[in-house]
Amino acid sequence: MTPKALSCLALTLGLLLGCRASQGPSYSLPDSYGADQVERVIAAAQDDLHSANNPGLAFARLELAWRTAGLKGDARQSLDRARSEAAEALLEELNRTQAPPAYYTRLIDASLTRNLAVRARIGKARAQLHRGNRMRAYRTIKGMDSEYPFHAERQASGRLLFDTGMSLALDEGHYGLFFRYKSLAPEVLEYFTSNYYSGDWEKQVGLAESTPSSIWPDMDPKQCGPEAYSKLGELYADSREFALAIQRHEDLIIYYGNSPLVRASRAAIPDLRLRSVQQADHDRKPLELAREELTAWLKDYQGRDEATELLVQQNLLHALQQLAEHDRIVARFYLTVKNAPGAEYHARRGLELAREGGDAEQIQQLQAMLDKALKNSTPVAQP
């Protein structure tokens, strides 16, 4: 064999051994077991579990027997039960010791019961998240949901998705020089809200009994849904995707009308409408809607949130001034084309709005337009 071939073979063997080692400890086991050996294998595995406290070795023995023995009937059932017991113990140890994600591969590759297969994938995703591999954790959960769409561990996987999305959303760092981790958050949180936290999902899975997250221990599990919608609204607002931001705040209000976050979302929606209007001579409807929403907010929450109330009052004045500006532009047009009734209507309405908005210059301009429109509409006296 040439030196080049030897080098390639060494590299290949190194990669294979590295992959094997990355999946956890290796064990000296035969290539296969015969059917007549399985009973002794089960006994040895029980000793591994209960005497040696080595669930990894126990599962490795039983997995090898399960793959090579070709058993049927009672013997097969005994092997299945022993293998499941070892898998449970191994999964518990991996979770307890915060093992690397690759250590879960043996469990994931095994044809385990549905619940064990799901929990092994959740364990892997949790390990990925704790090591900063957040998008890998998300894809592990998403792939698991696709493979097991009706699994019974939605509390754990849903909370893991929430933690992943929020971790990205709060990360101000960059990757690949130009890309922000925060920009990855909407994909994760959108998947989370669409597949886990819409409507009465928390009632369907008994969310009140779910375990708090190790990453966000102070977060009430019942607030994960509202928090996700609120954060999506904030992220879309930051990227100037105002329509999407409004939709997510509206979703929060629809699905979680009793959440403490509703008050902030009701204030955010008209603020986003005003930010989305580019010119006063267009888009009057968003301005009118924002005015109605701001007025309703003050009616419902005045005196309960000083900081938000100040923003709402400022936005209300801004909405009134923008509406008045719209009427001023239209009134000027009607004066130009010598349509006195049209000019009068818009100047009069704009003047009322400007007085509410408190802009002295705007009031003066609209008053002058109204005076001119009234003068032009005065009929000429007959001789």
Side-chain angles (χ1 to χ4, degrees):
M1 187 177 287
T2 65
K4 183 177 181 180
L6 285 171
S7 176
C8 290
L9 177 60
L11 177 60
T12 301
L13 288 172
L15 289 171
L16 289 171
L17 290 172
C19 291
R20 181 177 178 84
S22 70
Q23 295 181 13
S26 58
Y27 307 101
S28 286
L29 296 173
D31 293 334
S32 65
Y33 291 118
D36 59 329
Q37 297 176 295
V38 170
E39 187 175 342
R40 294 192 296 276
V41 170
I42 293 175
Q46 290 294 314
D47 189 59
D48 295 333
L49 274 179
H50 303 297
S51 299
N53 193 28
N54 192 341
L57 176 56
F59 180 75
R61 287 188 200 276
L62 295 167
E63 177 67 7
L64 182 60
W66 189 85
R67 292 183 180 279
T68 62
L71 296 181
K72 296 181 180 180
D74 292 342
R76 180 70 171 190
Q77 291 179 8
S78 296
L79 179 58
D80 283 342
R81 285 194 297 270
R83 192 175 73 115
S84 292
E85 181 186 2
E88 286 276 8
L90 177 56
L91 180 57
E92 182 180 348
E93 180 183 75
L94 295 178
N95 290 336
R96 177 175 51 80
T97 60
Q98 297 186 359
Y103 280 36
Y104 292 84
T105 302
R106 285 176 173 168
L107 292 171
I108 291 172
D109 289 347
S111 298
L112 298 171
T113 62
R114 181 188 185 90
N115 184 258
L116 270 169
V118 166
R119 287 160 51 211
R121 286 160 174 79
I122 292 174
K124 178 180 180 179
R126 186 181 293 111
Q128 289 168 327
L129 173 60
H130 286 166
R131 283 164 174 75
N133 299 322
R134 292 167 290 190
M135 292 305 289
R136 289 184 182 178
Y138 157 62
R139 294 187 184 105
T140 296
I141 296 296
K142 188 176 180 181
M144 180 194 71
D145 286 343
S146 177
E147 189 173 356
Y148 304 99
F150 304 108
H151 67 82
E153 297 294 326
R154 293 179 66 79
Q155 286 184 21
S157 57
R159 191 56 197 263
L160 193 57
L161 282 169
F162 173 79
D163 290 346
T164 300
M166 291 296 287
S167 175
L168 288 165
L170 298 172
D171 192 334
E172 297 294 340
H174 292 75
Y175 68 97
L177 296 180
F178 305 108
F179 303 103
R180 302 171 67 196
Y181 286 111
K182 184 181 286 190
S183 67
L184 301 172
E187 179 182 351
V188 180
L189 292 175
E190 286 286 4
Y191 180 81
F192 168 71
T193 54
S194 298
N195 293 274
Y196 282 83
Y197 270 74
S198 292
D200 292 333
W201 181 85
E202 69 272 28
K203 295 179 182 178
Q204 297 168 20
V205 299
L207 183 62
E209 301 174 0
S210 60
T211 304
S213 164
S214 59
I215 296 180
W216 314 101
D218 297 329
M219 171 64 67
D220 180 354
K222 287 187 175 181
Q223 287 303 314
C224 291
E227 285 285 352
Y229 279 119
S230 178
K231 182 56 69 174
L232 280 169
E234 178 186 321
L235 292 168
Y236 288 135
D238 288 346
S239 58
R240 301 188 65 79
E241 297 174 89
F242 297 121
L244 277 173
I246 290 171
Q247 287 175 21
R248 294 302 165 261
H249 283 295
E250 289 175 338
D251 288 338
L252 190 160
I253 295 168
I254 291 169
Y255 294 131
Y256 298 96
N258 295 324
S259 169
L261 298 178
V262 166
R263 181 170 61 201
S265 283
R266 284 186 59 186
I269 289 171
D271 179 69
L272 291 163
R273 293 196 202 282
L274 294 174
R275 290 170 63 186
S276 69
V277 175
Q278 300 299 314
Q279 293 178 289
D281 57 342
H282 298 112
D283 301 319
R284 185 179 183 90
K285 287 184 179 179
L287 294 172
E288 292 174 336
L289 186 53
R291 179 192 180 187
E292 293 173 6
E293 291 165 337
L294 292 162
T295 302
W297 192 98
L298 289 171
K299 180 181 177 182
D300 293 339
Y301 299 115
Q302 195 163 25
R304 296 170 59 181
D305 184 340
E306 185 176 347
T308 306
E309 184 175 331
L310 178 61
L311 173 64
V312 169
Q313 289 173 336
Q314 291 173 342
N315 278 336
L316 181 56
L317 291 177
H318 180 60
L320 291 166
Q321 291 166 4
Q322 287 294 93
L323 285 166
E325 180 64 12
H326 182 275
D327 276 319
R328 188 190 70 81
I329 293 170
V330 177
R332 183 178 62 188
F333 168 76
Y334 279 130
L335 286 172
T336 302
V337 298
K338 303 188 183 307
N339 184 332
E344 179 186 349
Y345 172 81
H346 285 280
R348 190 180 299 279
R349 185 175 69 174
L351 182 58
E352 293 176 1
L353 292 164
R355 286 170 177 163
E356 287 188 69
D359 187 322
E361 182 178 355
Q362 198 175 52
I363 293 170
Q364 184 179 5
Q365 291 174 345
L366 283 159
Q367 183 65 63
M369 286 184 170
L370 178 58
D371 294 342
K372 186 174 182 180
L374 289 171
K375 179 180 178 181
N376 291 344
S377 64
T378 303
V380 179
Q382 296 296 321

